[in-house]
Amino acid sequence: MSLIKIENLCKDYKNEEVLTPVLHHLNFSIEKGEFVAIMGPSGSGKSTLMHILGLLDRPSCGIYELDGKDVTKFTDDELASLRNHKIGFIFQSFNLLPRTTVLENIKLPLFYSQIPVKEHDEMAKKALAAVGLEKRADYLSNQLSGGEKQRVAIARALVTEPEIIFADEPTGNLDSKSGGLVMTILQKLNIEKQHRHTIILVTHETYTAEFAERIIRIKDGQILSDEKVLNRKKAEDGLVK
């Protein structure tokens, strides 16, 4: 059984009397532990697809099965609960609270979980260690570089120990060195044996997509190709310090 299975999925947006189709009857599946890049130009529908896969939006038609359950039939509360314990998000704009410490930013998702408060600090520190920023725990987020902010955002996505991590243009606001480091972290999270995460990356950059093992290319809301990455970029050992 696939972790994610999409059948004839479509998405339309309605503005007054104007109907705008965005996604057109998509079909694909993603297995547990895969690292998949969804790649396409601006306006291709890739972010809309990520929002649906991440349970932030609903499709207009079709089936979306997550762990064998058709989540299109779930209530908003059921989706919120599933999203909170199963999914982590990383966004291009970081979305950190500026005058709040790194550790407090990382702990935010825990306040919406059933995890006891006494465990929050330990879990946040563990997530921070995973991205190599233990020494930045007491810094305010506005004291960090762009690359460090994105690493904190990754730690925040990790803190609830989700099975799936969605990364929406995670290197879009970074220089090439910081972007390479972020992609190295994501790849290591995918290949480590103890807590192997399924990674779904949305990007328009070929360089970034090639850290994945598979690329689904979409354009105008349709799948153009779905192929394995033959010359996959590899995470550099010891790059995260």
Side-chain angles (χ1 to χ4, degrees):
M1 180 180 68
S2 299
L3 175 63
I4 289 173
K5 186 177 181 181
I6 296 297
E7 293 184 355
N8 291 317
L9 184 136
C10 62
K11 179 66 178 180
D12 303 324
Y13 287 109
K14 190 172 184 179
N15 184 9
E16 296 180 352
E17 298 303 316
V18 179
L19 191 68
T20 305
V22 179
L23 300 176
H24 307 276
H25 302 285
L26 307 184
N27 293 276
F28 63 89
S29 60
I30 296 174
E31 304 303 317
K32 187 174 295 187
E34 272 198 284
F35 189 160
V36 178
I38 299 172
M39 187 178 175
S42 178
S44 62
K46 60 185 185 297
S47 291
T48 298
L49 177 57
M50 190 209 75
H51 289 157
I52 292 173
L53 296 179
L55 310 179
L56 296 170
D57 197 1
R58 293 178 181 269
S60 301
C61 67
I63 296 172
Y64 173 16
E65 290 186 359
L66 183 59
D67 271 340
K69 298 176 182 177
D70 185 359
V71 296
T72 62
K73 295 180 170 60
F74 281 27
T75 66
D76 289 346
D77 286 345
E78 288 173 330
L79 289 177
S81 176
L82 186 60
R83 186 170 59 241
N84 192 54
H85 78 264
K86 198 176 188 69
I87 295 172
F89 293 97
I90 304 163
F91 296 101
Q92 178 179 348
S93 57
F94 318 132
N95 292 345
L96 302 179
L97 299 179
R99 290 177 293 278
T100 306
T101 67
V102 165
L103 202 65
E104 292 299 321
N105 267 285
I106 293 172
K107 288 195 294 184
L108 283 175
L110 296 172
F111 293 118
Y112 302 97
S113 72
Q114 303 299 315
I115 299 169
V117 174
K118 64 181 180 181
E119 298 179 24
H120 288 191
D121 274 0
E122 182 180 349
M123 293 181 71
K125 289 175 181 177
K126 179 182 176 183
L128 195 55
V131 300
L133 285 179
E134 303 97 312
K135 295 180 180 179
R136 297 288 194 266
D138 296 325
Y139 279 50
L140 299 181
S141 64
N142 58 4
Q143 295 176 312
L144 304 178
S145 67
E148 288 173 332
K149 288 178 181 178
Q150 193 59 291
R151 286 159 70 181
V152 171
I154 293 173
R156 183 183 56 195
L158 287 175
V159 73
T160 56
E161 300 179 354
E163 183 176 354
I164 309 169
I165 295 175
F166 287 92
D168 190 3
E169 300 281 8
T171 62
N173 286 334
L174 305 178
D175 58 52
S176 58
K177 181 178 179 180
S178 297
L181 178 55
V182 164
M183 293 312 303
T184 293
I185 293 171
L186 289 177
Q187 194 179 75
K188 285 187 173 183
L189 292 172
N190 173 249
I191 63 179
E192 65 181 5
K193 294 180 180 179
Q194 186 175 4
H195 300 291
R196 187 175 184 184
H197 298 273
T198 301
I199 310 286
I200 300 176
L201 166 74
V202 170
T203 184
H204 67 278
E205 300 172 332
T206 300
Y207 173 84
T208 303
E210 288 176 349
F211 278 88
E213 57 189 332
R214 173 183 165 201
I215 299 177
I216 298 173
R217 288 182 170 85
I218 67 173
K219 184 178 181 181
D220 298 329
Q222 297 178 307
I223 295 177
L224 295 181
S225 63
D226 183 350
E227 299 172 336
K228 294 287 185 180
V229 178
L230 298 180
N231 296 305
R232 185 184 185 189
K233 297 185 186 301
K234 300 294 184 182
E236 297 179 37
D237 293 335
L239 187 56
V240 182
K241 299 182 187 289

